[in-house]
Amino acid sequence: MSNTPYVDDAVLGSLYPDHIQTIKSRHDQALERAGAGHAVIFSGAPRAVFLDDYDYPFKPNPHFVGWLPLTQIPYCYVIYTPEEIPVLVYYQEKDYWHLPPANPEGYWVDQFEIRVVHTHEEVGRHLPEDASKCILIGEIDDPAHAFGIDRINPSSALNMLHYGRGVKTAYELECMRGASRRAVKGHAAAENAFRAGKSEYDIHLDYCRAVKHTDSELPYGNIIALNENGAVLHYQHQSREKPAKLRSFLIDAGAGICGYASDITRTYAKESGEFADLIERFDELQQQLVAEVKAGLDFSDLHVSCHRKIAELLAEIRVAKGSADALIEAGVTSAFYPHGLGHLLGIQVHDVGGHQGDDLGTTIDPPIGHPLLRLTRQLEVDQVLTIEPGLYVIDMLQENLAGTPGHAMVNQERLDWLRPYGGIRIEDNVRVLADSCENLTRDAFAA
Ligand code: GLY
Ligand code: MN
Ligand code: MN
C-alpha cells in the first residue's frame, strides 16, 4: 500500500501510534458507557445482487477503517479489550475466483496482534469466550457473523464514538490533506478536459485516470455536470454526448487516502463574461465564509449568514430584488440555495455526529427553515468540514415559489439568462483551528 505522491507513508507511520491511542481511549469510554468488556468491530460483508451471484462494490464499516487502513477486506474483526493490544482477525479467504487479500503489511501492523484465518469457523475461535461481555460494531445482515454477540451497535457506545470522530487525529489530518491533494490532481485534469470540449463521460474518465481511482474507489459518485446539469445537486449521469454549445462546468469530486475522503467542488465558465464574473464573485463569497471558521463558531449561524450573502448577491446581479431579510423570509434564497453550507468530513463524506450536541446523543436540530443543514454543532479545533455555498436555477423550486410573495421578487428575465449555466458551487475542506482554519483544498490547489 503506497500513498505516494500524496502523503509520505513514513509520516503516516510516525503519526499512527498516537492515532491508535486516541481510538483506544474512545473505545475505553464507549465500553464503559455500554457496560461491556470487549468491542468487536466487523469490517463488513459483501452484498450480492438480487437473484445473482456477484456482489455490489464492497463498502467497509467506517468504524473498522477508523482503526486501520484496510478498506477492501470483508469478514475481518478488530477485537479490543481495554489495556490489551488489539487483536486483528484477518480474513484471508482461500478463493480461486477472486484474488485473496495479501499478507498484512504496512506501518499499522505493529499496533495489532494479527491472526490470519482462512475460514469462518476459525474466526469464531479468536473471539472472546463470553459473548455477553461483548458489543459488536458493524452491519450484521447474517447472524452468523455476530458469533452469538447480541449487543449490536448499542447507542450508548455509538454516540460516544460518533461524537469523538468529529475531531480528527494528526494521522487523520495527514490522510485528509493527501486526499485533497489527490482530488486536486483530478480536478486539474477535469478542467483541461472541459476546456478541450470533452463530454461529461470523458471528463470523468480523465478525472479517474489522474487520481488513479476506479469508479468504486471514489468516496462518492463524481458529479460532472455541463451547462444546465450543474443545477442538479447530485447529478449522477455522465452524458456521452458533447453539448452543442458549451457554457459551464460544475465538478464535485473527491478522492481517498487510507479510507479518508476529500469532497471538492469547482465551477468554471467556458468564456469570459458575466457568468465568469459571477463565479469570481461567488468565490469571494465562499472565501469570506471560510474566513469566519474558527473554534467556538456555531455552524448554524454561519449557514444563516450564507443565506444573507446569497440574498445580497441575488440582488446585486438583479436576479432577485428586495432586502436580504425579505428574500430570506420569502424563501427566495432557499429556492436558489436549497442545501446546507457544509458537513463534517472524514471516513464518510457526510461524516457522522454533525447533529450531536454531546457524546450522550443529545441532538441539535437545524434552524427552522433549514432542515437540510447537516452540521449544527459548535466548531472545535481539528474538526474537518466542508464549506460549500451554492446558487442554482432549479425550476422545481422556482415553481414552488409561484403563488407566494417570493415569486414577484424574482426577475424572470434574469432567471432565463442564468438557467443555461445551471449553477455554481464552490466547496473546500477546512480544518478548524482556534482562531481560523487550515484550508486543505486551497493549499492543495496552490501547491
Ligand atoms: N459531494 C456531496 C456533497 O458535497 O455533500
Ligand atoms: Mn461535494
Ligand atoms: Mn460536501
Side-chain angles (χ1 to χ4, degrees):
M1 175 195 58
S2 170
N3 296 300
T4 316
Y6 308 109
V7 222
D8 182 340
D9 280 348
V11 172
L12 288 188
S14 71
L15 298 171
Y16 185 67
D18 278 351
H19 169 73
I20 284 294
Q21 259 334 103
T22 302
I23 299 296
K24 283 181 185 169
S25 94
R26 286 186 196 147
H27 282 73
D28 289 343
Q29 295 174 60
L31 283 167
E32 200 179 319
R33 284 274 168 82
H38 317 274
V40 177
I41 300 108
F42 181 43
S43 68
R47 291 192 162 191
V49 172
F50 182 52
L51 299 181
D52 218 318
D53 65 353
Y54 64 92
D55 297 329
Y56 291 106
F58 178 68
K59 299 290 172 191
N61 171 7
H63 285 281
F64 182 84
V65 177
W67 277 93
L68 74 188
L70 293 182
T71 58
Q72 283 305 312
I73 314 189
Y75 305 122
C76 294
Y77 295 80
V78 166
I79 303 160
Y80 175 65
T81 307
E83 320 261 314
E84 291 182 17
I85 181 159
V87 172
L88 170 65
V89 180
Y90 187 89
Y91 192 77
Q92 193 177 50
E93 191 167 19
K94 291 210 181 301
D95 181 3
Y96 52 83
W97 290 100
H98 305 102
L99 185 69
N103 289 331
E105 64 166 330
Y107 56 78
W108 56 273
V109 295
D110 292 346
Q111 299 297 324
F112 293 88
E113 182 185 325
I114 299 178
R115 305 189 190 158
V116 178
V117 299
H118 305 291
T119 63
H120 180 77
E121 291 67 37
E122 268 183 275
V123 174
R125 282 183 232 139
H126 295 280
L127 294 190
E129 269 175 32
D130 188 349
S132 73
K133 291 202 165 66
C134 299
I135 56 169
L136 195 149
I137 300 170
E139 190 178 25
I140 300 291
D141 291 334
D142 177 348
H145 298 139
F147 292 95
I149 301 172
D150 56 17
R151 296 191 66 198
I152 298 172
N153 303 321
S155 54
S156 53
L158 286 203
N159 286 335
M160 169 68 78
L161 294 173
H162 287 173
Y163 191 71
R165 269 174 54 189
V167 173
K168 269 50 186 184
T169 64
Y171 164 81
E172 293 177 305
L173 292 169
E174 197 52 26
C175 291
M176 294 184 77
R177 288 185 193 103
S180 256
R181 287 180 205 122
R182 189 173 196 163
V184 156
K185 191 154 182 214
H187 276 256
E191 185 191 353
N192 285 338
F194 160 65
R195 304 243 176 249
K198 294 193 182 181
S199 69
E200 291 169 347
Y201 177 71
D202 283 324
I203 297 172
H204 168 72
L205 292 183
D206 282 3
Y207 181 94
C208 290
R209 192 174 293 113
V211 300
K212 292 196 166 63
H213 274 327
T214 63
D215 230 63
S216 67
E217 288 165 347
L218 293 166
Y220 55 93
N222 277 352
I223 298 167
I224 304 281
L226 294 175
N227 297 346
E228 294 86 345
N229 297 332
V232 182
L233 299 183
H234 282 176
Y235 176 70
Q236 75 283 30
H237 185 67
Q238 283 143 9
S239 174
R240 278 59 167 170
E241 310 293 323
K242 297 180 195 175
K245 174 153 174 55
L246 205 49
R247 288 177 289 271
S248 58
F249 174 39
L250 186 153
I251 170 171
D252 183 343
I257 293 284
C258 297
Y260 290 85
S262 53
D263 176 11
I264 298 172
T265 308
R266 289 293 183 266
T267 310
Y268 303 100
K270 184 74 173 74
E271 287 163 7
S272 56
E274 202 178 358
F275 187 69
D277 294 345
L278 179 57
I279 295 174
E280 220 169 278
R281 176 70 182 76
F282 205 78
D283 193 59
E284 281 164 23
L285 179 155
Q286 193 265 4
Q287 291 194 63
Q288 286 165 10
L289 293 161
V290 169
E292 289 188 44
V293 172
K294 61 176 179 184
L297 181 76
D298 181 331
F299 198 71
S300 295
D301 289 347
L302 193 61
H303 172 81
V304 170
S305 130
C306 179
H307 271 263
R308 183 160 283 282
K309 288 182 191 302
I310 285 181
E312 287 161 4
L313 179 59
L314 287 171
E316 187 183 312
I317 61 172
R318 295 181 299 106
V319 169
K321 60 174 181 299
S323 69
D325 283 340
L327 290 169
I328 293 169
E329 174 71 24
V332 174
T333 55
S334 294
F336 285 95
Y337 165 48
H339 57 76
L341 176 61
H343 50 85
L344 292 175
L345 177 70
I347 297 170
Q348 287 163 276
V349 175
H350 296 156
D351 220 14
V352 287
H355 287 155
Q356 269 184 254
D358 58 33
D359 59 21
L360 293 164
T362 311
T363 55
I364 306 175
D365 290 334
I368 291 168
H370 303 274
L372 299 181
L373 182 60
R374 290 189 167 97
L375 175 56
T376 52
R377 94 194 223 192
Q378 256 204 8
L379 300 190
E380 271 179 74
V381 169
D382 289 341
Q383 287 173 341
V384 177
L385 46 115
T386 66
I387 299 290
E388 48 178 308
L391 194 165
Y392 321 83
V393 177
I394 302 174
D395 282 324
M396 187 183 114
L397 299 182
Q398 293 298 330
E399 283 157 22
N400 289 349
L401 285 179
T404 75
H407 183 70
M409 297 178 182
V410 178
N411 177 336
Q412 299 299 323
E413 255 174 50
R414 294 291 290 162
L415 196 67
D416 291 344
W417 163 73
L418 187 55
R419 183 179 292 103
Y421 297 99
I424 303 177
R425 179 163 66 254
I426 297 178
E427 176 176 28
D428 289 344
N429 306 162
V430 303
R431 165 198 176 199
V432 180
L433 301 173
D435 282 310
S436 60
C437 68
E438 172 188 348
N439 193 323
L440 312 188
T441 305
R442 299 225 177 215
D443 288 354
F445 272 111

